[in-house]
Amino acid sequence: MDNTSVNLRFLLWKQNQDRRAWPDLVAEWVACETPRAEELLRGDRLRKDEVARLAKSVGVPTHDLAVKNLLSKAKGVDILRENLRCLVGGLERGEKRVFASAVDVHATTVSAWLSGKQRAERTNVGAVCRYFRLPAGTDLEKDLLFLSPLPAAEISRKRWLKEKIDGLDAAALQELFPALAKLLGLR
């Protein structure tokens, strides 16, 4: 099994980098263009030369990048806690209390989950999935949402889309507008 893509995202996450900086950092590590780095983050297989450059940049043997699961070897990484941090971290200021109320806990309980002082109970985890409108079957204890290059929660996805649209220049917007209008149901 090739773990290179997951290991790449894990190494980025360990750097505490803003997700928006991931493509630039991957481009630097792999010595490639940003569009190629974005493809790699989305799961495209790295070529042998790219794996070699990545291994050298991050100080991990090539074999370990491909074969080992660096996340499972890391100490102190709780997937549930990291997923909660990722989801709650995407909330705007003041929304944490609304979130806590919606999942039927006190805001201090949410803080305890995020700090690792307390573990969210299964019923709370289900409520979290519903609150963030995660796809059916999402398992916050196993699915690596916190390593995803794209936002997982509906709120964060909408914000991401708005940022991307706001970042388009006039020519790109002119070209994409008919497709966007069609996709969004406008005629």
Side-chain angles (χ1 to χ4, degrees), residues 13 38 65-66 75 83 88 96 124 131 145 147 152-153 172 176:
W13 171 81
E38 289 170 343
L65 278 174
K75 293 183 178 170
N83 281 336
V88 174
K96 188 173 161 186
N124 299 127
Y131 180 84
L145 302 181
L147 295 184
L176 292 173

Side-chain angles (χ1 to χ4, degrees), residues 34-99:
T34 303
R36 175 63 180 150
E38 289 170 343
E39 291 171 355
L40 296 174
L41 286 168
R42 287 191 304 267
D44 276 16
R45 288 184 73 101
L46 281 88
R47 297 183 302 266
K48 278 188 174 187
D49 61 314
E50 292 172 329
V51 174
R53 289 191 300 269
L54 174 61
K56 185 176 181 185
S57 294
V58 299
V60 175
T62 306
H63 178 265
D64 290 0
L65 278 174
V67 177
K68 291 190 177 176
N69 180 335
L70 299 179
L71 172 61
S72 70
K73 305 280 185 225
K75 293 183 178 170
V77 179
D78 179 338
I79 294 171
L80 174 60
R81 183 179 72 217
E82 297 307 331
N83 281 336
L84 290 170
R85 284 180 177 171
C86 178
L87 293 168
V88 174
L91 295 174
E92 295 289 334
R93 183 173 171 83
E95 288 181 340
K96 188 173 161 186
R97 285 191 194 282
V98 174
F99 163 70

Side-chain angles (χ1 to χ4, degrees), residues 8-9 21-25 48 50-51 56-57 59 61 63 72 74 96 98-99 105 132 137 140 153 160 165 180:
L8 170 61
R9 293 191 309 271
W22 284 12
D24 292 332
L25 192 52
K48 278 188 174 187
E50 292 172 329
V51 174
K56 185 176 181 185
S57 294
H63 178 265
S72 70
K96 188 173 161 186
V98 174
F99 163 70
V105 297
F132 286 105
L140 292 180
W160 182 87
I165 290 171
L180 289 171

